[in-house]
């Protein structure tokens, strides 16, 4: 069957009335359905919270964590906390006692608010951290003041977290039932905390709405990406490395890994998603990518323009003992861009297929577009593989064993 037919089938299925897979397709239309009134409500609430705290604690894991951090670092940088208020710390995304102890210590002398995010309202990492921080807050502020500082994003179908919210009178933001965790960044999951952290959520949604329109026709870049991945997978390229030359991409790549890993990796099928940040990782993994077992392809994320309001040029040095004067007067960004071109050249000449996704510039609108691009490419890719993009049966196995161990020991 031709790819044009395969894509038509995958597209028709994704937009069909009767869906044969887990029907969690709400993310397809949500950015266009959220009203100005809803956005205004989030923004008004954000203003109150951002004035009230030095630190926002975000408690969540997986789809209730990665997208927020991805968007924040992409738009503001990985050094966000050094330049902005409120600062943000993420808990509930691991079970390290040392990690949570550090965050508690950081919070001792600061005013804090907490956003707990959990669709199921029962995820152990997240709920344990929440219990610890609720106690911390109640000791610091008392019960009544804590109510003004704790708010929850969850599904309102009476899960454990929702029960706590009802009993303690915490503000609740709803997560739509028909949107799964890894597709939920453009719902209250991401919109509420990102707005508190000073990001224009309306522009993110505008970018996603534009992508939604662009990807309704069959001939689009999103479906092309899905086709190329599928062709490469059939040629035994079973690992995709997403790579970029900006540290701000680290968590976007983590979010992307969860999206593709949980959506495609089932029934013994799928491309293993991995990520590298260059040029850092060229000095650790560069050898393997250039010359190792040829089982991967590379998807580069690059920018036409990096809109930064600074200008760091390499200074001229009279002694030139480091032999760098040939670069004197050049921006660091220029050197970075040459490294990017050299890497694409070297890797593709070593027979590693390289896809380049070029983003115009770093802003909210482009981020919204990119998020929707990957979400739809992922769903279409899963359809091409004939797997359910919206379930994750595999993640339950370890949990069953863990709870057995915890309850019996
Ligand atoms: O994509 C998913 O469904 C998961 O990664 C969840 O987001 C993650 O397990 C967290 O679940 P919850 O939001 O229910 O706490």
């Amino acid at each position: 069957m031709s790819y044009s037919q395969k894509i038509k089938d995958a597209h028709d299925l994704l937009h069909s009335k009767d869906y044969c897979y887990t029907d969690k397709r709400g993310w397809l239309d949500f950015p266009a359905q959220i009203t100005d009134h809803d956005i205004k409500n989030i923004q008004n609430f954000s203003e109150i919270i951002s004035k009230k705290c030095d630190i926002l604690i975000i408690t969540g894991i997986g789809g209730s964590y990665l997208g927020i951090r991805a968007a924040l670092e992409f738009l503001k940088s990985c050094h966000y906390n050094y330049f902005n208020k409120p600062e943000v710390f993420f808990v509930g995304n691991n079970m390290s006692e040392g990690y949570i102890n550090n965050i508690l210590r950081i919070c001792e002398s600061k005013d804090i608010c907490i956003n707990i995010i959990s669709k199921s309202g029962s995820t152990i990492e997240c709920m344990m951290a929440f219990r610890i921080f609720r106690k911390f807050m109640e000791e610091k502020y008392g019960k009544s003041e804590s109510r003004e500082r704790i708010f929850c994003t969850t599904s309102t179908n009476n899960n454990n977290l929702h029960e706590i919210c009802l009993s303690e009178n915490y503000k609740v933001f709803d997560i739509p039932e028909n949107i799964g965790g890894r597709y939920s960044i453009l719902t209250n999951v991401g919109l509420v905390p990102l707005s508190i952290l000073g990001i224009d959520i309306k522009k993110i949604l505008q970018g996603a709405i534009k992508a939604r329109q662009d990807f309704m026709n069959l001939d689009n870049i999103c479906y092309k990406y899905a086709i190329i991945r599928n062709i490469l997978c059939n040629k035994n390229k079973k690992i995709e490395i997403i790579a970029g030359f900006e540290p701000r991409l680290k968590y976007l790549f983590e979010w992307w890994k969860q999206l593709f890993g949980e959506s495609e990796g089932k029934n013994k099928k799928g491309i293993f998603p991995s990520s590298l940040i260059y040029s850092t990782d060229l000095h650790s993994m560069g050898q393997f990518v250039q010359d190792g077992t040829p089982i991967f392809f590379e998807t580069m994320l690059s920018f036409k323009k990096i809109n930064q309001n600074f200008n760091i040029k390499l200074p001229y040095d009279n002694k030139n003992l480091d032999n760098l004067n040939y670069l004197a007067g050049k921006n660091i960004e220029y050197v970075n861009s040459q490294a990017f071109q050299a890497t694409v050249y070297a890797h593709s000449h070593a027979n590693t297929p390289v896809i380049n996704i070029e983003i115009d510039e770093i802003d909210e609108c482009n981020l919204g577009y990119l998020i929707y691009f990957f979400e739809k490419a992922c769903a279409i890719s899963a359809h091409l593989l004939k797997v359910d993009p919206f379930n994750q049966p595999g993640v339950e196995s370890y949990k069953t064993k863990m709870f057995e161990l915890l309850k019996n020991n």
Side-chain angles (χ1 to χ4, degrees), residues 61-64 117-123 126 175 180-183 258 262 392 399:
I61 193 166
S64 296
I117 308 169
S118 174
K119 184 171 178 192
S120 63
S122 60
T123 307
C126 177
I175 306 177
R182 58 189 175 275
Y183 291 83
Q258 186 202 355
E262 277 188 356
Q392 54 282 332
K399 285 188 196 166

Side-chain angles (χ1 to χ4, degrees), residues 22-38:
T22 311
D23 200 351
K24 300 267 180 199
R25 296 176 292 165
W27 57 274
L28 275 168
D29 296 323
F30 191 82
Q33 283 169 348
I34 184 166
T35 64
D36 282 350
H37 181 257
D38 293 333

Side-chain angles (χ1 to χ4, degrees), residues 241-247 249-250 253-254 257 274-290 298 336 343 347:
I241 302 170
I242 194 163
F245 280 73
E246 273 290 330
L249 293 171
K250 181 175 163 47
F253 291 172
E254 295 302 319
K257 284 196 276 194
S274 66
S275 66
L276 295 173
I277 295 288
Y278 296 152
S279 63
T280 314
D281 290 332
L282 287 174
H283 295 260
S284 57
M285 297 300 289
Q287 170 61 36
F288 199 102
V289 180
Q290 186 72 38
E298 212 170 9
N336 205 21
T343 306
H347 292 177

Side-chain angles (χ1 to χ4, degrees), residues 195-263:
S195 179
I196 296 169
L197 298 171
I199 283 164
D200 188 339
I201 53 171
K202 199 159 183 185
K203 287 201 179 134
I204 297 187
L205 290 165
Q206 280 164 0
I209 291 168
K210 169 90 175 62
R212 177 175 172 271
Q213 283 159 357
D214 288 356
F215 308 152
M216 280 312 284
N217 291 323
L218 292 179
D219 185 12
N220 67 60
I221 48 169
C222 171
Y223 292 3
K224 282 194 178 118
Y225 174 53
I227 292 171
I228 295 168
R229 295 179 81 253
N230 193 263
I231 292 171
L232 291 170
C233 181
N234 291 338
K235 291 189 170 177
N236 254 346
K237 300 290 186 187
K238 301 293 185 197
I239 297 176
E240 178 173 10
I241 302 170
I242 194 163
F245 280 73
E246 273 290 330
R248 64 171 70 224
L249 293 171
K250 181 175 163 47
Y251 276 90
L252 186 69
F253 291 172
E254 295 302 319
W255 169 83
W256 173 91
K257 284 196 276 194
Q258 186 202 355
L259 180 68
F260 280 88
E262 277 188 356
S263 301

Side-chain angles (χ1 to χ4, degrees), residues 33-145:
Q33 283 169 348
I34 184 166
T35 64
D36 282 350
H37 181 257
D38 293 333
I39 296 172
K40 197 76 212 143
N41 276 346
I42 295 175
Q43 288 168 333
N44 290 342
F45 177 80
S46 305
E47 220 179 299
I48 297 168
I49 294 296
S50 62
K51 283 189 188 137
K52 213 191 259 294
C53 61
D54 305 311
I55 292 179
L56 175 68
I57 297 289
I58 295 177
T59 309
I61 193 166
S64 296
Y65 156 60
L66 289 169
I68 304 156
R69 193 155 187 183
L72 185 72
E73 296 204 1
F74 179 88
L75 293 169
K76 300 265 192 179
S77 99
C78 48
H79 301 118
Y80 170 88
N81 278 354
Y82 294 93
F83 303 109
N84 295 279
K85 201 177 155 236
E87 293 173 33
V88 61
F89 290 95
F90 296 93
V91 298
N93 56 67
N94 62 64
M95 290 190 274
S96 157
E97 202 169 319
Y99 180 99
I100 206 156
N101 179 56
N102 284 345
I103 312 283
L104 284 166
R105 282 175 54 203
I106 292 168
C107 290
E108 264 165 17
S109 57
K110 305 270 181 109
D111 272 323
I112 64 171
C113 287
I114 298 185
N115 184 190
I116 170 158
I117 308 169
S118 174
K119 184 171 178 192
S120 63
S122 60
T123 307
I124 189 161
E125 290 88 342
C126 177
M127 295 305 283
M128 286 204 308
F130 186 47
R131 195 188 265 213
I132 288 165
F133 270 89
R134 270 173 67 210
K135 180 161 181 284
F136 176 86
M137 301 250 327
E138 285 173 6
E139 282 169 5
K140 189 176 169 100
Y141 297 109
K143 257 189 178 288
S144 160
E145 169 75 13

